Amino acid sequence: MPPVAAAILIVTLVAVCGLLLGGIRIRGIGLGPAGVLFAGILFGHFGASIDPEIADFTKEFGLILFVFTIGLQLGPGVIELWKKQGILLNSMALSIVVQAVILICAFVLLLELPVFTSAGLFSGATTNTPSLGAAEQAALSLSGNERPAGIGSLASAYAVAYPGGIIGIIASMLLIRRLFGINVNDEVAQIKELEKQDHEPIERRTIVIDNPHLGSIPFGQIPGVEDSGVRISRIRRAGEDIVQAATDETDLHDGDLVQLVGPRSTLDRIEPVIGRKVDVDLMKEPGEVAYRRVLVTDPQALRKTLRELSLDKVFNTSVTRIIRSGVELTARGSSRFHYGDIAHIVGDKESIERVTKFLGNSGKSMKETHFSPLFFGIAIGVVAGMIPFHLPGVPFPIRLGFAGGPLVAAIVFSLIGSVGKFVWYIPYSANLALRELGIILFLACAGLGAGETFFEAALSVQGVQWMGLGIIVTMVPLLTTGIAARMIWKQNYLTICGVIAGSMTDPPALAFANSQADSEASSTAYAAVYPLTMILRIIAAQAIIMMFA
């Protein structure tokens, strides 16, 4: 059978069996996509193999797809998490890395474990392939680029410890869940409640103007209004019965009734400045005011603030609020539209038609996957991951690799949003599909590669010792940090799982964490700690070689 056909057949069979295995749930808990890894190990053990170059390409491309789509979906959320808990979450990840290094050093000093074996155990137990390459580079640099005796144990110890590392990570998550009697649905509800608290509900309020000191002043020129998040949508002039559309350019006069939209706390501050609240609903009064929810899909409306777009001046319309990913946001002068936002527009019918055309409002575009920017972003991420950079005091170059480079690039592109016609947006369903495909390809090939020698090495006396030590290196730091995070810092369980997976730079563990609940909390925490952890793992692996070789 041709190598390509054989590779496709084997990978698809591994994927099917692994997903069936992962779908088995015991007391509500299953392996999820991580089942593909163990199916791959079994297939590899019984002789199934694919061409090494095909396997390497498939595995790495799958990993790139997985991390890039995660970064693209979660970029803004990661930045918000950094602002709120960045120091705490990265400190937790740092604690996990440091504890693992201390355990490895103890094994070298107390058990007289060979240094190359110890470095391989560190990389395998923490499921970090780039750190294995960094350790090999450090070993070669110390021996004048000649292969030193015993360096082969680096890869052997890594291969034995790696599957145990994945099992240990998943087991740590489950132990923490069982230890604290955690109900995952309650954790999801808690996260949603916290998200609501971060975004104050938006409401409407009708106010009668009775401040003679205002004079005849446009609403937008009242001090503090523009970036307060309060918008004017309707006005009924004093002595008139007809309600008109209003914008920041609308002049206010004594006795006018205006409808304002914004957060309650901000409305409470603005109200005494211009008048007093009245029990009148201008939306029910007669008039020629139109209202529409408009999808923002035209690139020309992106990356500019509402102040720069001047929709009130150009189109005589008012943006009263913005809905993004199901969350209502205030429309401030400094607000920028993101692709796929829903803008609440108020104005006369003709003006709304014109602004709708300007903003795009293309439901079809929202269902399309823009592949050109997707592949462009992946290419930039791959290049970024290959670029070496130096840190002060570290005698060797650091690279983020195929996992770190695309992840960081995706986060950056998701924040940029668009450049010209390039828009970094993928429909949620398509994002999940690409993400799932990527992790399945990665796990299938990783399992096939490990399965060839796994049982032979694992069932030997030396292999059992290495696996046992590797599981200690995996689980002790995760459990101590996870328990402290729950007991002391009262962290959400899904966030803890994300930090655990991110601190081990382990996509299978993240896939398992995501399979526990319909929430992006684990993925967001994973992305928040991943860049720092990757650098620390690479430095730590080389430091172990430098200290003891």
Coordinates of all heavy atoms in Angstrom, one line a residue, residues 56-66 375 378 438 441:
D56 N 5.5 13.2 11.3 CA 6.0 14.5 11.8 C 5.2 15.6 11.3 O 4.8 16.5 12.1 CB 7.5 14.7 11.5 CG 8.4 13.8 12.3 OD1 7.9 13.2 13.3 OD2 9.6 13.6 11.9
F57 N 4.9 15.6 10.0 CA 4.1 16.7 9.4 C 2.7 16.7 10.0 O 2.2 17.8 10.4 CB 4.1 16.6 7.9 CG 3.1 17.5 7.3 CD1 3.3 18.8 7.1 CD2 1.8 17.0 6.9 CE1 2.4 19.7 6.5 CE2 0.8 17.9 6.4 CZ 1.1 19.2 6.2
T58 N 2.1 15.6 10.0 CA 0.7 15.5 10.5 C 0.6 15.9 11.9 O -0.3 16.7 12.3 CB 0.2 14.1 10.3 OG1 0.3 13.6 9.0 CG2 -1.3 14.0 10.7
K59 N 1.5 15.5 12.8 CA 1.5 15.8 14.2 C 1.7 17.3 14.4 O 0.9 17.9 15.2 CB 2.6 15.0 14.9 CG 2.6 15.3 16.4 CD 3.6 14.3 17.2 CE 5.0 14.7 16.9 NZ 5.9 13.9 17.7
E60 N 2.7 17.9 13.8 CA 3.0 19.3 14.0 C 1.9 20.2 13.4 O 1.5 21.2 14.0 CB 4.4 19.6 13.4 CG 5.6 18.9 14.0 CD 5.7 19.1 15.5 OE1 5.1 20.0 16.0 OE2 6.5 18.4 16.1
F61 N 1.4 19.8 12.2 CA 0.4 20.6 11.6 C -0.9 20.6 12.5 O -1.6 21.6 12.7 CB 0.1 20.2 10.2 CG -0.9 21.1 9.5 CD1 -0.5 22.4 9.1 CD2 -2.2 20.7 9.2 CE1 -1.4 23.2 8.5 CE2 -3.1 21.5 8.6 CZ -2.7 22.8 8.2
G62 N -1.2 19.4 13.0 CA -2.4 19.3 13.9 C -2.2 20.1 15.1 O -3.1 20.8 15.6
L63 N -1.0 20.1 15.7 CA -0.7 20.9 16.9 C -0.9 22.4 16.6 O -1.5 23.2 17.4 CB 0.7 20.6 17.4 CG 1.1 21.4 18.7 CD1 0.2 21.2 19.8 CD2 2.6 21.1 19.0
I64 N -0.4 22.8 15.4 CA -0.4 24.2 15.0 C -1.9 24.7 14.9 O -2.3 25.7 15.3 CB 0.3 24.5 13.7 CG1 1.8 24.4 14.0 CG2 0.0 25.8 13.1 CD1 2.7 24.3 12.8
L65 N -2.7 23.8 14.2 CA -4.1 24.1 14.0 C -4.8 24.3 15.4 O -5.6 25.2 15.6 CB -4.8 23.0 13.3 CG -5.0 23.1 11.8 CD1 -5.8 21.9 11.2 CD2 -5.7 24.4 11.4
F66 N -4.5 23.4 16.3 CA -5.1 23.4 17.6 C -4.8 24.7 18.4 O -5.7 25.4 18.9 CB -4.6 22.2 18.4 CG -5.2 22.1 19.8 CD1 -6.5 21.7 20.0 CD2 -4.4 22.3 20.9 CE1 -7.0 21.6 21.3 CE2 -4.9 22.2 22.2 CZ -6.2 21.9 22.4
F375 N -4.4 31.1 7.2 CA -3.1 30.5 6.8 C -1.9 31.6 6.9 O -0.8 31.2 7.2 CB -3.1 29.9 5.4 CG -3.9 28.6 5.4 CD1 -5.1 28.5 4.8 CD2 -3.3 27.5 6.0 CE1 -5.8 27.3 4.7 CE2 -4.0 26.3 6.0 CZ -5.2 26.1 5.4
I378 N -1.0 31.6 10.5 CA -0.3 30.4 10.8 C 1.2 30.5 10.4 O 2.1 30.1 11.1 CB -0.9 29.1 10.2 CG1 -2.2 28.8 11.0 CG2 0.0 27.9 10.3 CD1 -3.0 27.7 10.4
G438 N -7.3 19.3 14.8 CA -5.9 19.5 15.0 C -5.4 18.6 16.2 O -4.4 17.9 16.1
L441 N -5.3 14.8 15.1 CA -4.2 14.5 14.3 C -2.9 14.4 15.2 O -2.1 13.5 15.0 CB -4.0 15.5 13.2 CG -5.1 15.5 12.1 CD1 -4.8 16.7 11.1 CD2 -5.2 14.2 11.4

